[in-house]
C-alpha cells in the first residue's frame, strides 16, 4: 500500500509538472503568436503610411507632387478671395433677402453704385470687408483640396481618353473637386454672406446664434443651393480655362502660353462663367441670408427660389448683381489662375534647380559639352 501510494503521488507530481510545462509552453507560444501578429499589423500600417506618403510625394504628369498642388491651390484661392472680397460684398448686398417685415415682392433692386453708397454710409470702409475672416480661413484649405483633386483626376484620366473627350475629363474633374471641398466651403460661405448682408455683427455672435437655434446642421443651411451653383461654376471654370488655353496654343502654334496669355484666358473664362451662373448665385444668396425673414416668406430650396423670384420680380431679377458678379469674377479668376500658374512654375523651377545642384559640377560640364 505504501509503495502504491508513493507511486501514485509521483505520478500526480509528474502530471502537475507536465501540465505546468505545457501551460508555460502554450503561454509562450501565445505570446510569440501575439507578438508576431502585432508585428504584421505594424508592418501593414507602415506600408499603408508609406503608400499615403508616396501619393503626396510622387510627382504627377506635370512634375509636381500632390502636396505641391495643395500648396499652390491654397495660395491661389486665398490670394483671389482676399483681393476681391469687397466686390463680393457689394454683390451680396445687391442680392440679399428682404429684411424682416419687408415683403420680398416689393423689394427694389439696388444698383452697384447704390450698394456701395449704402454700405459706406452704414459701416464705412470696413463694411466692404465684412466676413473676410471666415471667408479666407475656409477658402484657403478649400482651394488646396479643389486644385489637388482636379489635378490628380485630370492628369490621371486625360492620357486614358481620346483627345476629343479630354475636355469632358476636365468638366468631370472640376465637379468632383467642388464636391470634395464643399464640406469646408459651406460654413464659411454661410457666415461670410450673413455678415456681408448685415444679419450678424460679428463672427462670434453669428456662430453662437446658429448653434443655439439650429445646432451644427445650421452651418450647412443652403448646402444644396451652393452645390447647385458651384458645381456648374467649377465645371465651367476649369473646363473653359483649359479649353481656351488649348485653343490659344493651337491658334498661336506654340507649346506653352506666356503668363499674359494665360491671364487673358482666365479673365474671359471668369466673365462668361460668372454671368451664366448668376441666377444660381441669386438663389444661393437668398437661401443663406434669410435667417431673420418670416417663415412664411422663406424659400424652401433652389428651384422654389428661382421660380418665385422669376414669377414675382421677373427674369431680370434672376440676374440681379450680375454686373457686380462679372466684374468681381473677371479679376478674381485672373488672380486665381494667375497665382496658381505662378506658384506651379516657382515650385517646379525650385525642384529643377535643386536636382541640378545635386549633380556634381563635372557631370554637368560633360552633359553641357555633349549637348
Amino acid at each position: 500500500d505504501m509503495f502504491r501510494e508513493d507511486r501514485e503521488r509521483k505520478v500526480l507530481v509528474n502530471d502537475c509538472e507536465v501540465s505546468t510545462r505545457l501551460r508555460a509552453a502554450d503561454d509562450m507560444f501565445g505570446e510569440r503568436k501575439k507578438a508576431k501578429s502585432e508585428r504584421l499589423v505594424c508592418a501593414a500600417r507602415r506600408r499603408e503610411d508609406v503608400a499615403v506618403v508616396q501619393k503626396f510625394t510622387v510627382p504627377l504628369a506635370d512634375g509636381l507632387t500632390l502636396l505641391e498642388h495643395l500648396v499652390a491651390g491654397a495660395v491661389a484661392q486665398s490670394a483671389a478671395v482676399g483681393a476681391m472680397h469687397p466686390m463680393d460684398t457689394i454683390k451680396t448686398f445687391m442680392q440679399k433677402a428682404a429684411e424682416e417685415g419687408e415683403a420680398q415682392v416689393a423689394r427694389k433692386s439696388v444698383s452697384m453704385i447704390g450698394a456701395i453708397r449704402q454700405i459706406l454710409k452704414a459701416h464705412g470702409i470696413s463694411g466692404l470687408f465684412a466676413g473676410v475672416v471666415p471667408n479666407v480661413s475656409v477658402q484657403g484649405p478649400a482651394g488646396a483640396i479643389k486644385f489637388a483633386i482636379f489635378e490628380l483626376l485630370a492628369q490621371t484620366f486625360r492620357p486614358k481618353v481620346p483627345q476629343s473627350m479630354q475636355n469632358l475629363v476636365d468638366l468631370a474633374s472640376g465637379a468632383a473637386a467642388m464636391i470634395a471641398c464643399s464640406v469646408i466651403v459651406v460654413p464659411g460661405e454661410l457666415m461670410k454672406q450673413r455678415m456681408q448682408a448685415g444679419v450678424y455683427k460679428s463672427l462670434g455672435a453669428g456662430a453662437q446664434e446658429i448653434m443655439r437655434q439650429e445646432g451644427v446642421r445650421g452651418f450647412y443651411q443652403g448646402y444644396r443651393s451652393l452645390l447647385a451653383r458651384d458645381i456648374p461654376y467649377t465645371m465651367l471654370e476649369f473646363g473653359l480655362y483649359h479649353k481656351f488655353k488649348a485653343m490659344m496654343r493651337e491658334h498661336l502654334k506654340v507649346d506653352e502660353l506666356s503668363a499674359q496669355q494665360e491671364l487673358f484666358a482666365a479673365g474671359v473664362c471668369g466673365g462668361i462663367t460668372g454671368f451664366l451662373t448668376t441666377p444660381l448665385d441669386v438663389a444661393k444668396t437668398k437661401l443663406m441670408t434669410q435667417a431673420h425673414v418670416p417663415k412664411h416668406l422663406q424659400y424652401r430650396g433652389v428651384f422654389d427660389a428661382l421660380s418665385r423670384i422669376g414669377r414675382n420680380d421677373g427674369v431680370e431679377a434672376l440676374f440681379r448683381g450680375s454686373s457686380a458678379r462679372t466684374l468681381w469674377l473677371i479679376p478674381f479668376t485672373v488672380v486665381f489662375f494667375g497665382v496658381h500658374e505662378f506658384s506651379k512654375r516657382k515650385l517646379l523651377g525650385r525642384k529643377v534647380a535643386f536636382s541640378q545642384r545635386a549633380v556634381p559640377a563635372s557631370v554637368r560640364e560633360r552633359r553641357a559639352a555633349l549637348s
Side-chain angles (χ1 to χ4, degrees):
D1 292 340
M2 290 174 59
F3 177 76
R4 186 173 59 255
E5 289 176 359
D6 184 58
R7 188 175 58 183
E8 290 176 353
R9 191 185 308 104
K10 288 181 180 180
V11 170
L12 290 173
V13 170
N14 289 335
D15 289 344
C16 290
E17 290 179 354
V18 170
S19 298
T20 303
R21 290 174 183 174
L22 288 174
R23 281 198 299 271
D26 288 341
D27 292 341
M28 186 171 61
F29 178 75
E31 290 176 358
R32 289 179 179 177
K33 188 176 180 181
K34 182 179 179 182
K36 184 178 180 180
S37 64
E38 289 178 352
R39 287 196 299 271
L40 291 174
V41 169
C42 291
R45 287 176 178 172
R46 283 196 296 270
R47 287 195 297 270
E48 291 176 358
D49 294 340
V50 169
V52 171
V53 171
Q54 286 178 344
K55 287 181 181 178
F56 282 92
T57 56
V58 174
L60 301 177
D62 61 355
L64 294 178
T65 65
L66 193 60
L67 181 60
E68 289 167 331
H69 280 296
L70 284 168
V71 173
V75 172
Q77 186 85 356
S78 299
V81 167
M84 299 309 301
H85 187 83
M87 189 61 73
D88 183 38
T89 302
I90 296 167
K91 182 267 302 178
T92 301
F93 187 87
M94 295 172 67
Q95 295 176 346
K96 72 175 182 176
E99 300 295 337
E100 189 172 356
E102 270 186 83
Q104 288 178 317
V105 295
R107 181 174 176 81
K108 296 180 180 178
S109 62
V110 180
S111 66
M112 187 164 63
I113 301 299
I116 296 173
R117 287 175 178 171
Q118 290 187 40
I119 293 171
L120 294 177
K121 183 179 179 180
H123 307 288
I125 294 293
S126 62
L128 294 173
F129 292 90
V132 68
V133 173
N135 195 22
V136 175
S137 62
V138 300
Q139 290 292 346
I145 295 172
K146 181 161 66 172
F147 267 111
I149 295 295
F150 175 81
E151 294 290 351
L152 176 63
L153 295 176
Q155 294 186 40
T156 300
F157 291 104
R158 275 178 194 154
K160 299 179 181 180
V161 300
Q163 184 72 27
S164 59
M165 296 183 63
Q166 289 191 357
N167 199 45
L168 295 177
V169 172
D170 292 338
L171 294 174
S173 300
M178 184 59 232
I179 293 172
C181 71
S182 63
V183 178
I184 301 176
V185 170
V186 176
E189 181 76 7
L190 179 76
M191 295 301 301
K192 177 207 73 171
Q193 289 217 309
R194 290 188 178 181
M195 291 177 68
Q196 286 175 330
V199 178
Y200 302 137
K201 299 300 181 184
S202 67
L203 179 61
Q208 289 177 4
E209 182 175 330
I210 291 174
M211 282 297 296
R212 185 175 61 254
Q213 294 182 356
E214 306 170 77
V216 176
R217 187 176 181 180
F219 287 99
Y220 289 89
Q221 185 173 350
Y223 180 72
R224 293 179 182 176
S225 63
L226 185 133
L227 288 182
R229 181 201 68 173
D230 280 1
I231 288 178
Y233 173 82
T234 308
M235 291 172 68
L236 289 173
E237 180 183 43
F238 282 100
L240 288 178
Y241 177 64
H242 288 282
K243 183 65 176 178
F244 287 160
K245 284 175 61 178
M247 291 170 63
M248 290 176 69
R249 284 195 298 266
E250 184 179 353
H251 178 72
L252 298 173
K253 295 179 173 58
V254 294
D255 293 330
E256 292 292 334
L257 297 177
S258 66
Q260 293 79 7
Q261 291 166 340
E262 288 176 344
L263 295 178
F264 175 78
V268 174
C269 160
I272 294 173
T273 304
F275 181 79
L276 292 178
T277 56
T278 298
L280 297 172
D281 184 57
V282 171
K284 189 266 302 179
T285 302
K286 294 285 189 182
L287 288 165
M288 282 190 165
T289 59
Q290 62 180 354
H292 294 166
V293 174
K295 290 289 185 182
H296 67 282
L297 291 177
Q298 289 188 2
Y299 299 107
R300 295 187 299 275
V302 179
F303 295 108
D304 179 54
L306 291 173
S307 61
R308 283 170 58 185
I309 293 169
R311 183 172 62 252
N312 296 331
D313 298 337
V315 176
E316 66 275 7
L318 294 173
F319 289 88
R320 184 175 293 157
S322 60
S323 56
R325 178 171 169 79
T326 303
L327 291 175
W328 162 53
L329 282 173
I330 289 175
F332 176 90
T333 313
V334 168
V335 176
F336 181 64
F337 282 117
V339 172
H340 184 250
E341 297 286 0
F342 176 80
S343 301
K344 285 169 57 177
R345 288 194 184 97
K346 283 294 183 182
L347 289 169
L348 193 58
R350 180 173 171 271
K351 292 180 71 173
V352 172
F354 179 79
S355 64
Q356 289 178 349
R357 286 199 303 270
V359 178
S362 59
V363 176
R364 289 201 303 269
E365 291 173 359
R366 286 199 299 270
R367 288 178 178 176
L370 290 172
S371 61

